[in-house]
């Protein structure tokens, strides 16, 4: 995962425009809010990225922990959300010292593809320890083995056409094809899991899981799972 952490901590071109970036985080925040069962809930966003719409999520719960591995991104999160007493920023290592059974909802979205299988198992162990017996773990944006890059491109173009940044998206796709992201994707690869495979993997970590009817975010060809103790 270290190569991907370094990439996202750099000045990357993964978003086609500011509008694309802002809408990306707005849609994710909306979907996360849909899983918050109570305004008293404690929520953890695992490897949250820039989390530009975290304030909206925080408004729907009692406490929001933003856990981020990239130090540069984490520094920006601290600066951005320091005035908000409901939001706290943590490193992934910090999660190992948080109190057991202290979180009602954990969300890990668009992260598993960047982790090795062993790294993901380790993350599941940490999350299982933090999650209350009545809590839920939402694992989103899982890439399927049978669905390739073309589907990702089509999902982006449909999202762009709907929200008015299609031209920027087309230019962005060309930029991405020539960028470090494409080279890194070819070099390191992305992890993919079938539905039954991921349910079994979650089961081995102590979770009972089912696939959600809709994926978090704009890509309908990827999968989201909802798990409990």
């Amino acid at each position: 995962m270290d190569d991907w952490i370094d990439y996202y901590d750099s000045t990357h071109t993964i978003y086609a425009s500011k509008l694309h970036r802002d809408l990306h985080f707005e849609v994710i925040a909306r979907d996360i809010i849909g899983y918050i069962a109570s305004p008293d809930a404690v929520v953890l966003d695992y490897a949250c990225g820039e989390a530009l719409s975290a304030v909206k999520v925080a408004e729907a719960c009692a406490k929001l922990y933003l856990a981020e591995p990239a130090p540069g991104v984490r520094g920006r999160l601290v600066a951005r959300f320091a005035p908000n007493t409901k939001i706290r920023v943590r490193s992934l290592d910090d999660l190992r010292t948080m109190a057991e059974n202290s979180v009602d909802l954990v969300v890990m979205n668009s992260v598993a593809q960047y982790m090795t299988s062993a790294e993901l198992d380790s993350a599941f162990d940490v999350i299982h320890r933090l999650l209350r017996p009545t809590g839920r773990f939402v694992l989103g944006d899982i890439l399927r083995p049978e669905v390739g890059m073309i589907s990702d491109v089509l999902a982006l173009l449909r999202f762009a056409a709907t929200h008015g940044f299609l031209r920027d998206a087309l230019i962005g796709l060309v930029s991405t094809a020539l960028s470090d992201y494409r080279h890194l994707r070819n070099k390191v690869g992305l992890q993919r899991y079938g539905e039954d495979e991921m349910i079994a993997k979650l089961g081995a970590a102590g979770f009972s899981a089912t696939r959600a009817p809709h994926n978090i975010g704009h890509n309908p060809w990827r999968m989201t799972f909802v798990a409990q103790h």
Side-chain angles (χ1 to χ4, degrees):
M1 191 180 178
D2 288 345
D3 288 333
W4 287 112
I5 291 172
D6 290 342
Y7 173 78
Y8 280 104
D9 216 19
S10 68
T11 306
H12 58 76
T13 57
I14 197 68
Y15 301 111
S17 64
K18 181 180 182 298
L19 177 60
H20 176 204
R21 183 196 65 181
D22 292 349
L23 286 168
H24 169 81
F25 286 106
E26 285 179 16
V27 170
I28 290 172
R30 177 203 66 196
D31 291 346
I32 290 174
I33 290 168
Y35 284 104
I36 298 176
S38 164
D40 298 323
V42 176
V43 178
L44 167 63
D45 190 346
Y46 188 105
C48 60
E50 295 285 352
L52 295 179
S53 294
V55 170
K56 294 181 179 179
V57 178
E59 289 172 350
C61 64
K63 183 73 70 177
L64 173 62
Y65 288 100
L66 300 176
E68 171 55 37
V73 176
R74 195 165 60 248
R76 290 193 292 275
L77 292 172
V78 170
R80 185 180 303 134
F81 298 119
N84 194 319
T85 58
K86 297 177 74 173
I87 299 176
R88 289 292 177 265
V89 179
R90 299 287 185 266
S91 70
L92 298 190
D93 287 339
D94 291 336
L95 300 183
R96 299 181 183 277
T97 61
M98 282 179 60
E100 186 176 355
N101 300 333
S102 60
V103 179
D104 298 290
L105 173 67
V106 180
V107 178
M108 179 194 284
N109 185 62
S110 202
V111 177
Q113 64 263 37
Y114 302 120
M115 301 174 114
T116 66
S117 180
E119 287 172 335
L120 189 58
D121 288 339
S122 179
F124 286 171
D125 289 342
V126 172
I127 290 167
H128 191 275
R129 187 185 69 81
L130 292 176
L131 198 66
R132 289 187 174 126
T134 56
R136 289 191 293 178
F137 171 33
V138 179
L139 177 65
D141 220 34
I142 300 300
L143 278 65
R144 296 154 57 191
E146 72 275 15
V147 178
M149 189 183 297
I150 295 300
S151 296
D152 289 345
V153 170
L154 292 175
L156 172 60
L157 293 178
R158 186 172 69 175
F159 185 57
T162 301
H163 294 284
F165 63 96
L166 182 58
R167 179 178 178 276
D168 288 336
L170 290 168
I171 295 172
L173 286 170
V174 175
S175 298
T176 299
L178 301 173
S179 72
D180 291 341
Y181 179 88
R182 181 63 181 272
H183 296 309
L184 191 56
R185 184 165 175 162
N186 289 338
K187 173 188 170 185
V188 180
L190 297 174
Q191 295 294 321
R192 298 173 180 273
Y193 297 93
E195 180 176 344
D196 292 342
E197 182 183 10
M198 181 53 76
I199 288 174
K201 192 172 184 66
L202 285 162
F207 292 105
S208 173
T210 57
R211 181 178 172 184
H214 303 288
N215 183 38
I216 290 179
H218 72 274
N219 193 328
W221 287 286
R222 297 185 181 186
M223 300 181 292
T224 288
F225 296 87
V226 179
Q228 296 174 300
H229 279 277

